[in-house]
Amino acid sequence: MNKPEPARYRTTNWKSYNEALRRRGSLLIWLDKDMVWLAARAGCSGRPPVYSDAAIQFCLMVKV
C-alpha cells in the first residue's frame, strides 16, 4: 500500500501571510515594578539564596 502524497500549499497572499507571522511572534510581558528580585537574608547556615522565589518562578514561566 502506497502512502498518499502530502498536499502542497502555495502562498499567494504574501502581504497578509507576513503580517500574520509578525503578529504570531509578538510577545508582551508585564512586569510588576514592586517585585523583589533579590532574596531576603536567611538566618540558617550555608550559602544564602541570591534570587527570590518570585523571581525564579517568573524566569521559569518565561522559559516555558
Side-chain angles (χ1 to χ4, degrees), residues 18-64:
N18 288 335
E19 183 61 32
L21 287 177
R22 275 190 218 99
R23 278 184 275 130
R24 186 175 78 178
S26 68
L27 178 66
L28 182 63
I29 298 175
W30 289 68
L31 296 176
D32 185 11
K33 291 181 181 179
D34 298 330
M35 187 174 86
V36 178
W37 282 91
L38 299 177
R41 293 199 174 265
C44 57
S45 62
R47 182 175 180 202
V50 177
Y51 297 105
S52 67
D53 290 340
I56 293 171
Q57 285 179 344
F58 170 76
C59 293
L60 290 174
M61 181 182 63
V62 169
K63 179 183 174 183
V64 171

Side-chain angles (χ1 to χ4, degrees), residues 10-24:
R10 294 180 185 258
T11 303
T12 56
N13 53 349
W14 285 102
K15 185 175 182 179
S16 62
Y17 176 75
N18 288 335
E19 183 61 32
L21 287 177
R22 275 190 218 99
R23 278 184 275 130
R24 186 175 78 178

